[in-house]
Amino acid sequence: MAKFGESDPRWKVKDLGDQGKNVNGWHWSEKDTFPYFKEEFTNKFDDKIIFEGATDGPAGLTCDLKAWKLDKCTGEASITRRKGNKIIVLYEIEAAVKWEVTFKNSAGEPVETAKGTYDMPCIDTVEDLDKFEIQVKYSKTGKEMQAANDYAKTKGQAAVRQLIIDIILNLKEQAGQQIAAGGD
């Protein structure tokens, strides 16, 4: 048997050091996808109208719901590919979105306005896709704000949840297409 370092150049097996572990990403590869989430959340929630002129407001008023600022988006997210074709999408994100609800009368004049925050303390892969918590926080409460706050909670919360689910499903779809195409 040859001593270490005394090899014949014709030998196919050689010590590759760290370069020999996970050759060509066969066993696993990982890509950070948090920038994707942050960009998509910004696109969906920075100064974007979620509902405009919705007719399901109280007493025949039309309603506008606007996400006017992505207040917070932190966490981590990645796509892991194992053995060339198995993909695992992992994410744990904390987000907060500032919202504003405006009720308008038939002439289009604002009647009632309320502001607050949709706080999502943990959007992660542990929970079912549509089960993450959304806390609705109000800037002001009281009888005059009640209808607008209720609208933000009942209608807006569901719309924000669906937008986030769409972002996650889009990422999973893109990851699957990349695997099918053989890319990273």
Side-chain angles (χ1 to χ4, degrees):
M1 179 181 246
K3 293 181 184 173
F4 188 74
E6 295 179 5
S7 61
D8 187 328
R10 295 171 293 173
W11 291 357
K12 292 181 178 179
V13 178
K14 52 185 157 180
D15 182 20
L16 298 173
D18 283 343
Q19 193 178 18
K21 301 175 179 175
N22 196 25
V23 177
N24 295 327
W26 168 250
H27 296 290
W28 74 91
S29 63
E30 186 171 309
K31 181 178 179 185
D32 181 17
T33 56
F34 183 72
Y36 166 84
F37 275 101
K38 188 149 184 149
E39 181 182 334
E40 287 297 307
F41 276 43
T42 301
N43 290 341
K44 298 278 187 193
F45 298 119
D46 248 6
D47 200 28
K48 297 294 179 186
I49 294 173
I50 296 174
F51 296 123
E52 185 173 35
T55 57
D56 53 358
L61 298 174
T62 60
C63 179
D64 296 344
L65 173 61
K66 178 180 178 181
W68 59 275
K69 182 180 179 190
L70 177 63
D71 198 36
K72 177 200 251 181
C73 187
T74 59
E76 21 182 280
S78 65
I79 295 176
T80 303
R81 185 172 81 181
R82 293 197 22 84
K83 298 208 176 179
N85 63 359
K86 298 175 189 165
I87 59 167
I88 303 167
V89 178
L90 300 169
Y91 51 90
E92 185 173 339
I93 297 170
E94 182 177 354
V97 176
K98 301 269 187 189
W99 57 263
E100 178 181 84
V101 171
T102 305
F103 286 135
K104 297 178 182 175
N105 60 21
S106 58
E109 299 165 343
V111 174
E112 184 178 338
T113 300
K115 292 182 178 182
T117 306
Y118 293 116
D119 193 16
M120 293 144 285
C122 189
I123 304 167
D124 65 8
T125 50
V126 174
E127 297 291 328
D128 288 339
L129 188 58
D130 61 343
K131 301 289 185 218
F132 59 89
E133 179 183 6
I134 298 179
Q135 301 167 353
V136 182
K137 298 182 178 179
Y138 313 111
S139 296
K140 293 182 184 176
T141 57
K143 267 191 164 183
E144 68 280 352
M145 300 288 175
Q146 189 64 43
N149 287 342
D150 288 347
Y151 193 88
K153 185 168 186 158
T154 57
K155 303 290 183 176
Q157 188 177 27
V160 167
R161 182 181 308 279
Q162 190 56 52
L163 288 170
I164 292 171
I165 289 170
D166 291 346
I167 290 169
I168 294 167
L169 290 175
N170 188 35
L171 175 66
K172 287 182 177 183
E173 182 181 319
Q174 287 179 11
Q177 289 171 356
Q178 287 176 349
I179 295 302
D184 279 334

